[in-house]
Amino acid sequence: MNWYLVWIVGFLLLLFAVSVRSAQTVKTADDYAMADFRLGFFPICGSVIATVTGSAALIGGAGQGFELGISYAITVISFTLFTIVAVLVLGPTIRALRLYTVPELFARRFGKLSALIPALIIGFLYMTPTFGMQLVGMSSILSSITDLPVFWGIVLGFAVTLVFTMIGGMPSVAWTDTVQTVVIVAGVALMLVLGIVYVGGPSAVVEATPGRLLDFGSIGFTELLNWFLVFGPFYIVWQTTWQRLTAARSTRTGISAVVVGFVISGVIAVLAILIGITAVQAFPAGTDPDAVYTSFVAEVFPGSIGGLLMVSLLAALLTGATSFLLSGAINISKDIYQGWVDPAADDARILRVSRLSVGFMAVLGLLIALWVEDIIAIYQVALSFTAAALVAPVLAAMFWERATKAGVIVSTIGALAATLLWRLAGQPFGLHEIAPGLVVSAVLLVVVSLLTSHAREEQVTAYFHDFRRGRLRAPDAPTEGTAAPTGQDAPSLAAPRRDTRD
């Protein structure tokens, strides 16, 4: 009996049942995109964990642990630290603004033109290739346990993900993520414990592991800084976190669930790194890092147990794929379609466009997965470009009233150009392109804003300070029978101020 297939088929049937049940609650666009702002602690926390611990955290984390050792934990420190600080500081303000997407913040504060580039960056440069990366990972798992060719593995992963996301939207994604979180945590913990036993116990791991893999600073300061910057600032503007905060039934629920979710995600990521270090005892140097996780499962465990561990990995990839697909589709339906094509679109039309956007992005991600050879490199570029272009403008919208529309647009474009040029130049001084991108973005935003006036469509404010002054209030979930506020009806400042200069 092929236990791998038994576990995987059983798991998919369970998810399908949860998805169908969740789909019964979807009646409006808000239901589909934000679960009508009623999600509780467990679905939000589970969704955060399941999305964060995708292929980059498990397959990538184990691979980097195998190659770099404990130094790679700098990425865990970075994304956990940046997210927790950002959520604790900005979470209540994000809730008060009732934001569907990050570009919506740009549109409200600086006008809709300033939101177009961020919407394209998040929806197509980040979400789409990231979705494609999950498909490649799912195909690798299916190909390793069956005779299924890589091509059909990608197609099957595409079909399963599309069905789950199309059926139920956010309610389906959140609750299936909760189920998958249990599988992920149990699988990773079991794999590490039994893997250590397999190679001879903790003392054998410590004694036989090369010293550099256990030395946190072995890769040098510059590399530590690069990894810290690549994974840290991005999570300030990670749209998935913002959407989970907004979808929560209350501010306290959203913030506590996201913080706990990222702490647990950090623990899982460290466990994946330790799995990679442990695998050094089982595989020779030169082993493909991306194959370490799945190869270790096959090496150590019989199918009855290995099937559970493969399911835990498949769960991480599937949940990442569904979350990225839904999040990117909201960028298309809200920021691009409702923002530019049909601002007066009713709820039924937005719901249809949201579902069509899921299908469109899924097909685009499928094409990337099938025809782009180095999809991991594209993902890394997407991560750094997104952070470089969006972090400074988002912080300006929150904290700096003097920021202008011209400053934000020039900052966004300039950051993309600087990041690209630095990468094409071969990363001078060994510094990752995200560093100059962040610096250029901040400098251009400040200089151009000080040299230009506010545009008429701007809402001249600093949202964080207005929230602290009581001019913004975070609403709780709507009562039964009351519609949740839409993007146009969401809380705003009582009296937006305009620039009075000529």
Side-chain angles (χ1 to χ4, degrees):
M1 178 182 294
N2 189 330
W3 281 101
Y4 292 108
L5 286 180
V6 171
W7 278 105
I8 289 175
V9 171
F11 170 72
L12 292 178
L13 290 175
L14 174 62
L15 289 189
F16 183 75
V18 174
S19 184
V20 170
R21 175 65 182 86
S22 300
Q24 297 174 5
T25 66
V26 176
K27 307 297 182 185
T28 68
D30 282 338
D31 290 339
Y32 187 78
M34 290 292 180
D36 201 27
F37 308 96
R38 295 178 183 276
L39 288 179
F41 178 89
F42 289 106
I44 291 179
C45 184
S47 182
V48 167
I49 295 169
T51 305
V52 174
T53 53
S55 60
L58 296 182
I59 296 177
Q64 294 296 341
F66 186 83
E67 284 199 321
L68 301 180
I70 201 64
S71 296
Y72 192 68
I74 187 66
T75 62
V76 181
I77 296 172
S78 181
F79 78 69
T80 305
L81 177 64
F82 270 88
T83 301
I84 291 177
V85 172
V87 168
L88 292 177
V89 174
L90 299 178
T93 307
I94 293 171
R95 279 278 306 174
L97 291 169
R98 191 77 91 175
L99 296 170
Y100 285 77
T101 66
V102 173
E104 189 178 356
L105 175 69
F106 285 69
R108 292 194 198 178
R109 172 61 179 84
F110 303 107
K112 71 175 187 178
L113 180 60
S114 67
L116 182 58
I117 295 177
L120 294 173
I121 291 173
I122 295 176
F124 294 101
L125 180 61
Y126 174 71
M127 294 296 179
T128 303
T130 305
F131 169 71
M133 186 174 67
Q134 310 305 310
L135 296 183
V136 172
M138 283 188 270
S139 175
S140 298
I141 295 173
L142 295 174
S143 299
S144 68
I145 61 176
T146 68
D147 295 327
L148 192 68
V150 172
F151 174 87
W152 290 110
I154 291 176
V155 172
L156 180 59
F158 158 81
V160 170
T161 306
L162 182 61
V163 168
F164 283 143
T165 312
M166 288 280 283
I167 287 177
M170 179 68 82
S172 173
V173 168
W175 281 108
T176 54
D177 283 358
T178 304
V179 174
Q180 292 171 83
T181 294
V182 176
V183 178
I184 292 169
V185 174
V188 173
L190 183 63
M191 182 174 177
L192 177 61
V193 172
L194 296 184
I196 290 176
V197 172
Y198 175 81
V199 299
S203 59
V205 172
V206 173
E207 292 173 4
T209 300
R212 65 176 182 82
L213 296 182
L214 301 178
D215 179 6
F216 183 78
S218 62
I219 62 176
F221 174 78
T222 301
E223 272 305 294
L224 286 173
L225 177 63
N226 285 339
W227 285 114
F228 186 81
L229 291 177
V230 168
F231 278 82
F234 169 80
Y235 279 89
I236 297 175
V237 297
W238 196 36
Q239 186 168 276
T240 302
T241 300
W242 288 39
Q243 289 172 341
R244 298 306 184 266
L245 286 170
T246 300
R249 66 163 61 106
S250 69
T251 301
R252 182 176 180 179
T253 297
I255 291 176
S256 61
V258 170
V259 169
V260 172
F262 266 89
V263 170
I264 296 175
S265 298
V267 172
I268 294 173
V270 171
L271 294 181
I273 295 171
L274 294 177
I275 288 171
I277 294 175
T278 303
V280 171
Q281 321 307 318
F283 301 108
T287 300
D288 180 7
D290 291 338
V292 167
Y293 194 98
T294 53
S295 297
F296 202 34
V297 171
E299 176 78 17
V300 174
F301 306 104
S304 56
I305 299 177
L308 172 63
L309 301 180
M310 284 295 190
V311 162
S312 71
L313 181 55
L314 184 64
L317 298 174
L318 179 58
T319 191
T322 55
S323 293
F324 296 134
L325 197 56
L326 180 63
S327 185
I330 297 173
N331 286 118
I332 297 176
S333 61
K334 285 287 184 180
D335 299 323
I336 297 176
Y337 182 81
Q338 192 173 28
W340 289 88
V341 179
D342 188 2
D346 59 19
D347 186 82
R349 181 175 293 274
I350 294 297
L351 178 58
R352 287 197 300 272
V353 172
S354 296
R355 285 194 161 115
L356 289 173
S357 300
V358 167
F360 172 74
M361 289 198 62
V363 172
L364 188 58
L366 173 65
L367 296 177
I368 292 175
L370 290 174
W371 280 289
V372 175
E373 293 184 1
D374 196 353
I375 197 171
I376 300 298
I378 292 180
Y379 171 73
Q380 292 175 343
V381 168
L383 207 67
S384 56
F385 276 49
T386 303
L390 302 186
V391 167
V394 164
L395 294 179
M398 291 293 185
F399 296 103
W400 194 38
E401 184 179 302
R402 186 62 188 82
T404 67
K405 172 184 175 180
V408 164
I409 293 176
V410 172
S411 168
T412 303
I413 297 174
L416 292 174
T419 305
L420 177 61
L421 291 174
W422 194 269
R423 183 175 182 83
L424 293 176
Q427 299 182 333
F429 315 110
L431 197 61
H432 193 276
E433 62 265 18
I434 192 174
L438 290 169
V439 172
V440 168
S441 176
V443 171
L444 287 177
L445 192 152
V446 172
V447 172
V448 176
S449 292
L450 293 176
L451 294 176
T452 57
S453 300
H454 292 290
R456 290 185 178 276
E457 63 267 29
E458 285 188 50
Q459 189 175 62
V460 184
T461 186
Y463 288 121
F464 174 80
H465 298 305
D466 280 293
F467 178 80
R468 294 290 297 271
R469 294 168 187 148
R471 301 186 70 230
L472 284 173
R473 297 188 182 279
D476 288 333
T479 56
E480 193 69 32
T482 303
T486 64
Q488 287 90 348
D489 301 326
S492 60
L493 295 176
R497 288 163 288 163
R498 310 291 182 188
D499 186 53
T500 58
R501 297 181 299 165
D502 293 333

